[in-house]
Amino acid sequence: MYQEYEGRDLSGTVLRIVKSSIYDGNGLRTVVFMKGCPLRCKWCSTPEGINAKIETTKDGKLTYGNRMTVEEVMAEVRKDSPFYFHSGGGMTVSGGEMLFQAEFVAALVKQACKEGINTAVETSFYSSWEKIEPILACLNTAFVDLKVMDEARHRAFTGVDNEIILSNIKKAGNLDLPNFKLIIRRPLVPGVNDSEAELVALGQFLEALPAVQHLQLLPYHRYGTDTYRKLGIDYGLDNVETPSEQHMKWCQRITNNYVKTII
Amino acid sequence: MPKEYMNRIQALRDNYMSHRVEMDILDAYYVTEGFKATEGQPWQIQKATAMKNVYEKKPIFIQDNELLVGGVAFKPRAGILNPDSACSVIEKELDTIGTRKYDPFYLSEENKKLFMEEVAPYWRGKCVLDRWNAMMPDDVRTMRDGGMLYVDKKFVRGYGENTPGWRTLLKKGIGGIKKEAAQKLAQLDDADGEDALKKIIFYKSLIITAEGIIALANRQADLAEQLAEEETDENRKAELLKIAEVNRHVPENPPRNYYEALQSMLTYEFCIFMEQNASSYNLGRMDQYLIDFYNKDIQDGLMTKEEAQELLDCFWIKIAEMGLFQDGESAAFSAGYNMTVQVTAGGIDQNGRDAVNDLSYMTIQATMDTALKEPNMTVRYNMAKNPDAFLRKAAECIRMGRTMPAVYHDDAGIKMLLNKGVPLSQAWDWTPCGCVETNLEGRLKSYTDIGEVSMGGVIDMVMTNGRSRKTGELVSIQTGDPRTFATFEDFMTAVKKQIDYFVHTMATMNAYLDYLSEHYRPVAALSLTYPNCMASGKDYANGGATFNVGNGINIIGQADIINSVAAVKSLIFDDKKLTMAALCDALDHNFEGYDEVQDLCMSVPKYGNDEAYVDTFASKIYTYLVDQIEKYDSPFGHLTAGMLPVSGNVPIGQSVGALPSGRKAWLPLADGIGATGGTDVKGATALLKSVSNLPHSRFTQGTQMNLKLDPKMLKGDQGLNNMMVMLKTQCTLDIYHTQYNIIDRSVLEDAQVHPKDHRDLLVRVAGYTAFFVELGKDIQDDIIQRTEIAQFS
Ligand code: SF4
């Protein structure tokens, strides 16, 4: 037994744990993907993360999800600590929507933090502030997806309102915590959330938030389509292409007027 | 902007690529002539005279654009034969040598005739290999023929696997050393008995050999002068006259500058290679040996940095021109004509301080510039002392797809030397050797790799109760019908007994190797630069070096035994998903018709994924193994072990039946200390974590770790940082060595189909680099099939 701590034996449903990722924050990271998401983004690239329950592909070959305790996850996360040390990496909790299992994640983040492991989360912030706050208290970086500013479009493409999301980002964006960084991500889906008006609104909203480090624009891609087929779900966005580099740069120029933007 | 000196380097490189690999018989012819002329003399004198005869008569050449000159054969990229070691090899392979599967050599009809008439008759029954075949004990022969051990290679080719005394060479020159030998000789009186006589014979052999080496250098000078006379281009004429001046002076005298130091090392390297036709006469820490010459020339304005780089590049190409001839079977074990002549940069100096200097960067640059398979460029990375900029330079070279440098965790190398009995003050000066072995410049003797033990074979013998699956014959000891094992401990007892017997048989072979080497393998040319050989009056072969280390046994198939033991523990004893009888049946049928059993075998956690259940066996089995090996003594100290499979995992796998790990019969065993291809699914970090479970520093002949990365992973500055993180973490995890293949799988596949388009595609085979298209098809397949880590996640 490694050590006793609060929340050690809480269990959650983990989609998978991926090691040595270079795409989810600083350095080499271990990414813990949690199951369950209240949103239904039409472009979602991890549809197997949406359902909170453990599920199996139609052909029965693959099972998505695994019940694990906080300590079981920590045991996996700890394994790569020499790599975190040299790369400035650590643990990233992702989803699905990790806030769907907020209590579990809070215990996990807190313990990782105690063990000196750098922590990050990837989230949509679609949850009550009460659930978010304890996680932020000991977190290094939050990557928050802000999918659409326009309220109606947000509902149309993600299935939910963005009011609560905006309000949470505002609160987090005004936090003054020593080691905390807030990074906003925008998956750019052509024809959905890449108009000039939409980008200006986004920039203006973020401009006012001191804790926001920068905005990151991510190009839409179709990586998840194969999993849709395996799970027998329809893919919501058919004729959308990955945005060109040129278009990405055009978007960057617009938001850069308000908030530091990277692609 | 390509630098100007690169024009010359490119031309030399093109020239190199245009040469086909050929066999030289003349060296063997002159050796034989020398032996015939001294019939009745002590063997040491005969061999020395023979070598002198070679140095005085062998064909020499100077090629266009060359600044540094010499060669071991009549042309670049030709192999030579040491008839005193293994004359019968060519006789046996006379008609197949040009067409054999691994490392073919072209041999003209005329040379075949010369060989059969003038060389072969003299050596029949007399060369070391023939003596070994006559003496080989039955137990060794049975294990060898059953494919469990590979034991012949050191009878085919001699000493190598050392780092000659470069400092002594550069300080004294061959002439100075010869003078010392003459002084020693003058003090001896043969009336003092046999011991004095032995010394007299030894010193005489040194003098004869030294005369030969000096004569060869003067012949090169003569040729350069003659060519200068005929040369119409004034620039080239001046270069040729410079070559003449340099070769007139070195290696006879201590070099006066950087240029001469390089030529001196080169000529000596060729001479010692000719003496044994062996692999890995290592160049060691060139950045340390040459730095004073370099600094002085730069300071005095005698040379620019670019000129220094140009000379270093020329030196690299000359080293690549050496080609190792070995018999067909040995070639299968280390295919690619590899010489594994290692150069290392970095590390710490003899005061324990950061040793990185200009030449550390420039040696890496030479590998970037020349893009050839040799020399085997490596770095001693001392994380505590070496600057990040140095590691970055190494990472840049690796990223270019040069496959080099391999990176050593310096502290692990130092520990290995300590474990070989070398005090710390000298261990700090260690040099990597050959593939991944450890050595010490001018002070240490051992064969680092006398042969291979098949760990897949160990499990095979446990499961078959000692019978070869190929022939049904009894080839090992009987450790009981596995169906009768009641507990996991019973199973492990059988595994250990088989390991004991495998090691015992290797130790038996080693006794014969030491005996034959002491009697029939004097190496005067090499001994010249070992100060303690001079002081003690003893040849290197007889233990003249300061430190003598017992020979190294090489272990192949790490993942195979680890995974098999874990599978048996899990399936038969812990979870009881399978009975031993059912497993035995499945293995007997090579899993054919037993898919479910194979699936179960595959479902047990595999080495390479950072899973403690299986990784503990990496520690336990290998600690047990090295304990057993170290129990055997020799005149040069207890035996040692390494894990440097070269390409031997492919041929040795061909004798091993289906294993509990889920591996099917006759497939290659796992590569190096890595996972079985396709079974490490958690990325590079998990793989390295698993590998860190092996007791690296106890395997003092090195542990070799191959990683294949997709070039996409190393894009941009961040990519370079990722590479550096991997290398630093390697050190933190106390993993001795890693090396990287940075090549798209699709490129390798294309090279199999269109070899002509990929003639200079380099790949890392094991501890060395080879041209992909010169490898046998099965080794190519093995490289392609190793798990490629396409991204860090
Ligand atoms: S929030 Fe993320 S996980 Fe949830 S549906 Fe949207 S893209 Fe998928």
Side-chain angles (χ1 to χ4, degrees), chain B residues 300-319:
Chain B
D300 296 352
L302 299 174
M303 171 179 78
T304 65
K305 289 192 177 183
E306 298 231 323
E307 283 163 347
Q309 186 68 56
E310 179 177 44
L311 281 166
L312 209 51
D313 291 9
C314 288
F315 187 95
W316 257 225
I317 293 171
K318 290 306 287 179
I319 294 296

Side-chain angles (χ1 to χ4, degrees), chain A residues 34 36-50 94-98 122-124 126 145 147 157-158 187 228:
Chain A
M34 304 297 298
C37 180
L39 276 69
R40 293 294 179 273
C41 306
K42 288 203 188 317
W43 54 80
C44 178
S45 63
T46 39
E48 72 277 25
I50 296 179
S94 186
E97 171 50 65
M98 61 94 194
E122 292 171 334
T123 172
S124 69
Y126 187 80
D145 270 17
K147 297 165 203 277
F157 283 96
T158 71
Y228 281 86

Side-chain angles (χ1 to χ4, degrees), chain A residues 17-24 26-31 76 78-88, chain B residues 383 609-612 682-686 688-689 713 718 722 725-726 728-730 732-733 791-793:
Chain A
I17 297 178
V18 171
K19 296 191 174 180
S20 50
S21 167
I22 52 174
Y23 303 109
D24 305 279
N26 275 346
L28 294 181
R29 306 194 73 86
T30 298
V31 189
E76 279 301 310
R78 266 178 219 126
K79 284 182 176 177
D80 270 5
S81 62
F83 295 90
Y84 309 152
F85 172 77
H86 288 294
S87 66
Chain B
M383 192 162 61
N609 297 294
D610 199 8
E611 296 271 7
K682 291 200 181 158
T685 59
L688 286 178
K689 283 291 301 295
M713 267 174 77
Q718 195 49 50
N722 291 336
V725 164
M726 297 298 284
K728 286 186 178 188
T729 310
Q730 171 200 337
T732 307
L733 293 173
Q791 53 180 62
F792 280 108
S793 71

Side-chain angles (χ1 to χ4, degrees), chain A residues 8 12 39 75-76 81 102-103 114 148 198 215 217 224-225 239:
Chain A
R8 183 182 189 281
L39 276 69
E76 279 301 310
S81 62
E103 203 192 339
K114 264 194 195 153
V148 196
E198 169 63 33
L215 167 68
L217 302 178
T225 42
N239 301 308

Side-chain angles (χ1 to χ4, degrees), chain B residues 244-280:
Chain B
E245 181 199 320
V246 168
N247 282 275
R248 198 68 76 197
H249 193 76
V250 294
E252 181 175 5
N253 302 293
R256 294 166 294 194
N257 52 46
Y258 172 83
Y259 190 154
E260 289 184 350
L262 282 171
Q263 180 64 59
S264 182
M265 287 183 75
L266 192 59
T267 302
Y268 185 61
E269 172 80 6
F270 289 153
C271 286
I272 51 182
F273 177 78
M274 283 186 262
E275 188 177 50
Q276 288 287 288
N277 178 42
S279 60
S280 52

Side-chain angles (χ1 to χ4, degrees), chain B residues 634-645:
Chain B
S634 84
F636 306 107
H638 68 69
L639 299 189
T640 53
M643 303 187 208
L644 45 140

